[in-house]
């Protein structure tokens, strides 16, 4: 048996043995659990026993030498040794044995795993203090020197542990501090027998003592606890609490100040102290409540974002906190999401507005159910407050609605006048009012359309033109309105988009109408051809020379068939010439164009000059004299002609009291060369008023004459009449000005036309311009300007 004593005088304690062949009971009795294999030297087993102090949780390591003898396995007689807390076999400290090296070549036994040596921290000495002893099995046969190495020995911290070389006693030289280092490991070696025995690692465990008070990280703690909180606290530490101060607000406690102490060793050890200030925070334990259970409101048809009603609530929780801030929800009566609700700025008010336009014809009254809660969930189970909102829809006169917002049609640009373009239909949503719908054109930029106000049928009023400036990407856009016959009519709008299909109604034209050219080795001139029509009615073009132009010029299309190459094929005298060309598109539509060419005495691309370099001055002088003489002759002819005309019975010039301006005729020399055969008498074809000379003699040839409209009887169509005839005249090749000699005519003194001066009066207000206003908006503007009216302040 193994006996021990401790500070409690206990005789029982748990033991552990490192050898499974032996078992040590809690009373110290040693028994054999298995038969030992072989016999230890000198019939001795060295057993390491571990003893645990149940009060201090300290562990002590002892080595017990058991003399086994030759007893049979399981026998009751076992040699015993006694020990106590001061040592084993009269030793004061545990003894660590080096295993004895076997003789001969035998496999060495694996090194023992030694239990650690326990040393209590903060020991007071005296130092050095012996804590263990190391022995070699050969210490009786030879002299052994003991030595330790490692941290705490010959490494930092140096000489914390030392060993007696002769006895193998292990010492600690100063108090240990477990909070700095909890264990040390040193190696014990035998000087002189290193080949025989391996080093032994010795672990020294520092046993903790209760030498530190519990310390709080802060001297004062602030905490918040929601009101109505339930107990939810578990702790493994005994706390001693004392309420030093209680601050009250009204009858409710607002905060607590606690002095808290904590002790280790289950409340029996050292103490630590701090102060805890606990603030009781508001919890959402009151539900918001509507001040009124029901509300009524009125909304007009089709009003969006219109405020209908404000609903107020009360809440007993902390003001302006998430616990009292209200949040509203429409929970019933709005399946179409026609309404919305939001919280007002004071957080205690719900605002109902319209999210979409309401329809009186569908539903004239809505009943909404609105619920209110807080921004945060309720802390406890509370009843949600609700209110009803009755919304009455007010009927208003709604505008007619077209079947489609945009109506697209495709028509030829030459669609005949009075032809139907499209039939538009609009319906009045106010079915209960039984109103009649009428139609009107709101915008018609080119004034091409007419609409039947009762049926909505749109027809062509004036010829359309795909190439007009009012057409974008082949599309002409007009805005149509539909209105009811209410006392205050409501108007709806629709868009008509006409896709104009191209027709070949524009002949090709030449862009370059004048240029210069040398009469020797001339460089051909490239003329550009343009056509307003689409690509189906343009190139390839063809060109031909007309009249006498064939004598001196050639014209052909270039490789792209979009440009004309005009060449002077023979040398001609310098001067100004007219070249007449007819250009035709791929569908056969053509137009005659005249190009003015100034021919100079030069070579190639040289610029035109009056005289060649190096020419004699005599021809120049003769030329100047000839020109002056020619001028006198022309002036003489003109004077004689005018003298003769004064004697005729029908005067060409207006009487002196006629305020019309005279037509002044100017003669020109022409090219200044004798071979330019100009017939100046053509100028006087109109002036002489001879019936055998008419304008068609000098007008270019035309395939067909356009159909001009006659003066309408209805003054409302005057604007359309002028617009139509103006557009025809712009494209009428038989109308002046021509690409040939212009002809002016004089009405003479017996003209049936009245004087334009009748439109003018030197006295303000003498002339009545009011009838002009009946001719349409454009003439109304003219009447306002000259007759006085809205634009008087501009004059």
């Amino acid at each position: 048996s193994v006996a021990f004593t401790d500070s409690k005088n206990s005789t029982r304690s748990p033991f552990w043995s490192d050898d499974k062949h032996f078992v040590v009971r809690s009373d110290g009795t040693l028994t054999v659990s298995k038969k030992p294999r072989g016999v230890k030297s000198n019939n001795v087993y060295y057993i390491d026993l571990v003893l645990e102090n149940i009060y201090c949780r300290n562990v002590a390591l002892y080595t017990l030498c058991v003399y086994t003898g030759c007893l049979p396995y399981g026998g009751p007689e076992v040699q015993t040794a006694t020990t106590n807390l001061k040592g084993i076999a009269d030793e004061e400290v545990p003894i660590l044995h080096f295993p004895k090296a076997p003789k001969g070549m035998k496999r060495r036994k694996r090194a023992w795993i030694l239990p650690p040596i326990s040393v209590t921290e903060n020991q007071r000495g005296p130092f050095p203090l012996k804590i263990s002893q190391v022995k070699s099995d050969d210490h009786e046969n030879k002299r052994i020197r003991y030595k330790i190495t490692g941290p705490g020995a010959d490494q930092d911290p140096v000489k914390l542990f030392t060993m007696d070389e002769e006895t193998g006693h292990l010492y600690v030289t100063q108090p240990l501090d477990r909070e700095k280092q909890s264990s040390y490991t040193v190696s014990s070696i035998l000087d002189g027998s290193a080949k025989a025995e391996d080093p032994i690692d010795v672990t020294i465990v520092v046993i903790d003592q209760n030498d530190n008070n519990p310390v709080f990280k802060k001297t004062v703690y602030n905490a918040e606890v929601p009101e109505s909180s339930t107990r939810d606290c578990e702790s493994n530490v005994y706390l001693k609490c004392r309420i030093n101060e209680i601050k009250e607000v009204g009858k409710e406690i607002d905060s607590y100040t606690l002095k808290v102490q904590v002790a280790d060793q289950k409340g029996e050890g050292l103490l630590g102290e701090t102060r805890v200030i606990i603030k009781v925070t508001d919890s959402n334990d009151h539900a918001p409540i509507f001040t009124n259970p029901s509300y009524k409101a009125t909304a007009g048809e089709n009003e969006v974002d219109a405020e209908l009603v404000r609903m107020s609530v009360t809440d007993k929780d902390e003001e302006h906190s998430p616990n009292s801030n209200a949040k509203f929800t429409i929970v019933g009566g709005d399946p179409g999401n026609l309404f919305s609700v939001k919280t007002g700025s004071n957080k205690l008010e719900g605002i109902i507005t319209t999210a979409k336009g309401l329809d009186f014809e569908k539903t004239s009254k809505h009943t909404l159910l609105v619920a209110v809660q807080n921004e945060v969930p309720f802390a406890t189970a509370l009843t949600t407050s609700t209110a009803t909102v009755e919304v009455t829809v007010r009927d208003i006169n709604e505008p007619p609605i077209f079947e489609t917002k945009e109506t697209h049609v495709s028509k030829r640009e030459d669609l005949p006048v009075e032809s139907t373009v499209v039939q538009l239909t609009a319906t009045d949503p106010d079915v209960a009012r039984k109103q009649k719908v009428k139609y009107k054109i709101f915008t018609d930029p080119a004034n091409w359309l007419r609409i039947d106000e009762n049926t909505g049928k749109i027809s062509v009023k004036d010829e359309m033109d795909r190439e007009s400036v009012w057409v974008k990407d082949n599309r002409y856009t007009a805005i149509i309105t539909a209105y009811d016959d209410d006392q205050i009519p409501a108007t709806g709008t629709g868009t008509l988009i006409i896709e104009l299909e191209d027709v070949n109604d524009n002949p090709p034209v030449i862009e370059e109408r004048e240029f210069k050219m040398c009469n020797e080795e001339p460089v051909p001139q490239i003329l550009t051809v343009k056509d307003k029509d689409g690509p189906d009615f343009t190139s390839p073009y063809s060109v031909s020379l007309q009249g006498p132009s064939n004598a001196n010029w050639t014209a052909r299309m270039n490789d792209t068939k979009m440009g004309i190459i005009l060449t002077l094929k023979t040398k001609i005298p310098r001067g100004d010439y007219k070249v007449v060309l007819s250009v035709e598109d791929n569908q056969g539509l053509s137009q005659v164009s005249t190009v003015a060419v100034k021919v100079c005495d030069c070579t190639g691309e040289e610029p035109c000059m009056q005289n060649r370099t190096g020419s004699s001055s005599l021809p120049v002088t003769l030329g100047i004299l000839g020109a002056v003489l020619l001028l006198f002759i022309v002036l003489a002819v003109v004077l004689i002609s005018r003298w003769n005309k004064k004697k005729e019975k029908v005067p060409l010039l207006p009487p002196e009291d006629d305020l019309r301006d005279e037509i002044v005729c100017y003669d020109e020399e022409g090219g200044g060369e004798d071979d330019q055969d100009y017939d100046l008498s053509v100028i006087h074809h109109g002036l002489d008023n001879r019936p055998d000379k008419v304008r068609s003699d000098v007008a270019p040839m035309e395939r067909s004459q356009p159909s001009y409209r006659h003066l309408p009887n209805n003054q409302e169509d005057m604007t359309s009449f002028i617009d139509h005839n103006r557009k025809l005249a712009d494209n009428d090749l038989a109308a002046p000005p021509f690409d040939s000699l212009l002809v002016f005519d004089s009405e003479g003194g017996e003209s049936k036309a009245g004087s334009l001066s009748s439109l003018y009066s030197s006295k303000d207000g003498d002339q009545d311009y009011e009838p002009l206003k009946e001719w349409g908006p454009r003439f109304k503007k003219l009447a306002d300007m000259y007759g006085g009216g809205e634009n008087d302040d501009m004059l």
Side-chain angles (χ1 to χ4, degrees):
S1 63
V2 179
F4 72 93
T5 60
D6 62 8
S7 61
K8 299 289 185 178
N9 295 319
S10 175
T11 59
R12 304 182 71 87
S13 184
F15 289 88
W16 290 272
S17 170
D18 72 328
D19 195 323
K20 295 181 181 180
H21 296 83
F22 299 93
V23 176
V24 183
R25 297 174 181 171
S26 60
D27 59 357
T29 303
L30 178 67
T31 62
V32 179
S33 62
K34 295 181 181 180
K35 181 178 180 180
R37 295 181 180 178
V39 180
K40 300 288 184 178
S41 59
N42 299 324
N43 293 330
V44 178
Y45 265 94
Y46 292 94
I47 305 172
D48 287 336
L49 299 180
V50 180
L51 171 66
E52 179 181 4
N53 186 317
I54 62 175
Y55 293 102
C56 298
R57 297 295 177 185
N58 293 334
V59 179
L61 176 67
Y62 304 93
T63 301
L64 180 65
C65 300
V66 181
Y67 295 87
T68 60
C70 298
L71 296 176
Y73 170 66
E77 297 182 4
V78 178
Q79 296 290 338
T80 63
T82 60
T83 183
N84 54 37
L85 288 175
K86 293 184 178 180
I88 298 178
D90 296 331
E91 296 289 339
E92 295 180 353
V93 295
I95 300 175
L96 305 178
H97 289 269
F98 278 90
K100 183 176 180 180
K103 297 181 180 181
M105 298 298 293
K106 294 183 180 179
R107 184 175 66 86
R108 302 186 63 178
K109 183 179 180 181
R110 181 178 297 174
W112 293 357
I113 300 176
L114 301 178
I117 299 173
S118 298
V119 179
T120 304
E121 68 171 335
N122 302 321
Q123 293 195 25
R124 297 183 177 181
F127 295 100
L129 178 64
K130 184 179 0 176
I131 59 175
S132 183
Q133 183 181 8
V134 177
K135 283 186 177 182
S136 174
D137 293 344
D138 290 339
H139 72 282
E140 297 179 355
N141 302 324
K142 59 175 69 174
R143 183 180 178 182
I144 302 297
R145 292 185 178 274
Y146 300 92
K147 185 178 179 181
I148 60 172
T149 62
D154 55 354
Q155 300 177 20
D156 288 336
V158 179
K159 294 184 179 180
L160 179 60
F161 301 100
T162 60
M163 179 170 283
D164 190 312
E165 292 184 353
E166 298 294 336
T167 63
H169 288 124
L170 180 62
Y171 298 90
V172 60
T173 61
Q174 63 187 38
L176 302 179
D177 188 353
R178 183 183 178 277
E179 282 68 40
K180 290 184 178 180
Q181 189 165 341
S182 60
S183 65
Y184 300 87
T185 300
V186 296
S187 296
S188 177
I189 59 176
L190 303 181
D191 189 9
S193 61
K195 295 182 180 181
E197 298 180 8
D198 294 331
I200 296 177
D201 289 337
V202 180
T203 300
I204 301 154
V205 176
V206 183
I207 300 174
D208 187 27
Q209 282 191 335
N210 190 18
D211 57 345
N212 292 286
N213 291 55
V215 178
F216 289 96
K217 291 183 178 180
K218 298 180 182 179
T219 57
V220 178
Y221 287 85
N222 291 282
E224 293 183 352
V225 178
E227 63 175 337
S228 305
S229 296
T230 58
R231 184 178 182 275
D232 184 14
C233 180
E234 295 183 1
S235 175
N236 293 323
V237 182
Y238 290 100
L239 297 178
K240 294 181 179 180
C241 302
R242 180 166 60 91
I243 300 176
N244 286 351
E245 176 185 357
I246 297 176
K247 181 181 178 182
E248 296 187 3
V249 177
K251 295 183 179 181
E252 297 180 355
I253 299 176
D254 180 71
S255 64
Y256 297 88
T257 300
L258 308 178
K259 184 178 181 181
V260 180
Q261 293 179 335
V262 61
D264 59 10
Q265 292 188 345
K266 298 183 179 181
E268 300 294 334
L270 302 178
L271 296 177
E273 184 177 287
T274 189
R275 191 160 60 104
V276 179
I277 300 175
I278 300 176
K279 180 181 178 182
V280 181
T281 61
D282 181 47
S283 294
N284 189 15
D285 55 352
H286 295 88
I289 300 174
F290 283 101
T291 56
N292 292 322
S294 62
Y295 299 85
K296 292 186 178 181
T298 302
E301 265 190 298
N302 303 316
E303 293 181 355
V304 180
D305 294 330
E307 182 177 318
L308 304 181
V309 67
R310 290 175 176 256
M311 304 173 294
S312 59
V313 297
T314 59
D315 197 314
K316 294 182 180 180
D317 289 314
E318 183 180 355
E319 188 177 359
H320 304 305
S321 72
N323 296 325
S324 65
N325 293 343
K327 182 177 65 174
F328 300 86
T329 308
I330 298 175
V331 296
D334 186 22
N337 297 322
L338 301 176
F339 303 89
S340 64
V341 60
K342 62 182 180 180
T343 303
S345 58
N346 63 356
K347 300 297 184 179
L348 292 174
E349 189 177 53
I351 304 172
I352 300 289
T353 58
T354 55
K356 301 177 183 178
L358 306 181
D359 191 346
F360 174 84
E361 284 70 32
K362 288 184 178 179
T363 306
S364 61
K365 185 174 291 186
H366 301 265
T367 301
L368 309 178
L369 181 63
V370 183
V372 61
Q373 292 179 312
N374 295 121
E375 291 181 353
V376 297
F378 295 144
T380 59
L382 299 174
T383 301
T384 301
S385 178
T386 60
T388 58
V389 179
E390 186 179 281
V391 181
T392 301
V393 183
R394 184 176 65 255
D395 186 23
I396 62 173
N397 185 25
E398 298 177 87
I401 302 174
F402 284 94
E403 292 179 348
T404 57
K405 190 82 174 171
E406 288 186 356
T407 302
H408 293 256
V409 295
S410 180
K411 299 293 180 180
R412 287 172 57 92
E413 64 172 319
D414 62 349
L415 187 68
V417 175
E418 305 301 337
S419 298
T420 300
V421 177
V422 69
Q423 174 78 48
L424 296 182
T425 303
T427 57
D428 191 346
D430 298 312
V431 292
R433 298 192 176 207
K434 298 180 180 180
Q435 300 175 139
K436 186 177 180 181
V437 177
K438 293 187 177 183
Y439 303 88
K440 189 175 182 180
I441 295 178
F442 183 69
T443 60
D444 180 13
N447 200 24
W448 290 341
L449 306 175
R450 178 183 289 111
I451 190 169
D452 188 315
E453 67 173 3
N454 295 313
T455 64
K457 185 181 75 170
I458 296 178
S459 58
V460 179
K461 183 176 68 173
D462 197 0
E463 291 183 356
M464 298 183 289
D465 184 8
R466 188 192 71 93
E467 291 74 37
S468 170
V469 295
W470 304 111
V471 178
K472 305 297 182 183
D473 298 327
N474 299 334
R475 293 182 175 185
Y476 180 73
T477 302
I479 305 299
I480 312 301
T481 61
Y483 58 96
D484 55 35
D485 56 357
D486 192 78
Q487 291 183 351
I488 303 177
T491 302
T493 60
T495 303
L496 172 62
I497 299 177
I498 305 175
E499 188 87 20
L500 291 176
E501 301 172 3
D502 190 23
V503 297
N504 193 18
D505 58 346
N506 291 280
V509 296
I510 298 174
E511 285 194 338
E512 297 83 357
R513 306 312 293 265
E514 60 179 22
F515 59 90
K516 297 177 181 180
M517 181 177 286
C518 291
N519 57 5
E520 291 187 11
E521 301 179 9
V523 176
Q525 182 71 22
I526 304 298
L527 305 179
T528 306
V529 179
K530 292 294 184 180
D531 195 329
K532 293 182 180 180
D533 291 322
D536 293 338
F537 307 110
T538 56
S539 62
Y541 302 108
S542 59
V543 63
S544 62
L545 290 166
Q546 302 295 311
S549 299
N550 281 308
N552 299 322
W553 307 88
T554 61
R556 63 181 179 87
M557 300 304 299
N558 62 3
D559 293 340
T560 63
K561 302 300 181 182
M562 298 182 66
I564 299 173
I565 302 176
L566 183 63
T567 307
L568 180 61
K569 65 181 181 180
T570 182
K571 182 179 178 180
I572 59 177
R574 67 181 182 184
D576 295 330
Y577 296 87
K578 303 292 183 180
V579 181
V580 182
L581 303 100
S582 176
V583 185
E584 187 178 276
D585 61 21
N586 59 10
Q587 298 294 319
L589 182 61
S590 64
Q591 177 170 288
V592 176
S593 301
T594 301
V595 178
V597 184
K598 184 177 182 63
V599 178
C600 304
D601 290 333
C602 57
T603 303
E605 296 182 359
E606 294 181 12
C608 288
M609 300 178 64
Q610 293 295 330
N611 298 297
R612 286 180 177 271
T613 304
S615 61
S616 62
S617 60
L618 181 58
V620 176
T621 303
L622 292 177
I624 294 174
L625 292 176
V628 173
L629 180 59
L630 180 60
L631 178 60
F632 279 111
I633 294 173
V634 172
L635 288 175
V637 172
V638 173
L639 290 175
I640 293 172
S641 175
R642 294 186 65 182
W643 176 261
N644 291 333
K645 287 181 183 193
K646 287 182 180 180
K647 297 180 180 181
E648 295 181 3
K649 294 181 180 181
V650 182
L652 287 177
L653 297 179
E656 293 182 359
D657 59 347
D658 195 338
L659 299 179
R660 292 178 293 179
D661 291 337
E662 290 188 14
I663 299 177
V664 181
C665 300
Y666 296 91
D667 293 312
E668 57 177 307
E669 276 186 24
E673 298 293 335
D674 294 337
D675 58 354
Q676 292 190 24
D677 187 16
Y678 283 121
D679 184 4
L680 298 180
S681 62
V682 177
I683 298 178
H684 302 281
H685 285 174
L687 296 177
D688 294 341
N689 218 10
R690 284 185 255 172
D692 57 329
K693 297 292 184 181
V694 295
R695 186 176 69 179
S696 60
D697 290 349
V698 293
M701 298 177 64
E702 175 63 22
R703 294 184 301 112
S704 62
Q705 295 294 332
S707 57
Y708 289 92
R709 288 188 185 177
H710 298 290
L711 184 65
N713 296 324
N714 188 355
Q715 293 183 353
E716 293 182 356
D717 291 338
M718 182 62 68
T719 301
S720 174
F721 160 74
I722 294 176
D723 257 359
H724 176 81
N725 287 356
R726 176 184 58 80
K727 292 173 184 176
L728 289 182
D730 288 344
N731 296 315
D732 187 1
L733 300 181
F738 308 118
D739 287 328
S740 60
L741 185 62
L742 298 181
V743 178
F744 299 90
D745 204 349
S746 173
E747 295 176 355
E750 297 180 354
S751 173
K752 295 181 180 180
S755 173
L756 295 177
S757 61
S758 62
L759 297 176
Y760 170 76
S761 176
S762 60
K763 296 182 180 180
D764 295 338
D766 292 345
Q767 182 65 40
D768 183 14
Y769 295 95
E770 289 301 317
L772 289 178
K773 295 183 178 180
E774 299 177 358
W775 290 15
R778 299 184 183 179
F779 290 94
K780 180 179 181 299
K781 191 73 172 179
L782 184 64
D784 291 335
M785 291 175 62
Y786 286 92
E790 61 178 328
N791 295 320
D792 283 350
D793 55 345
M794 300 175 58
L795 299 177

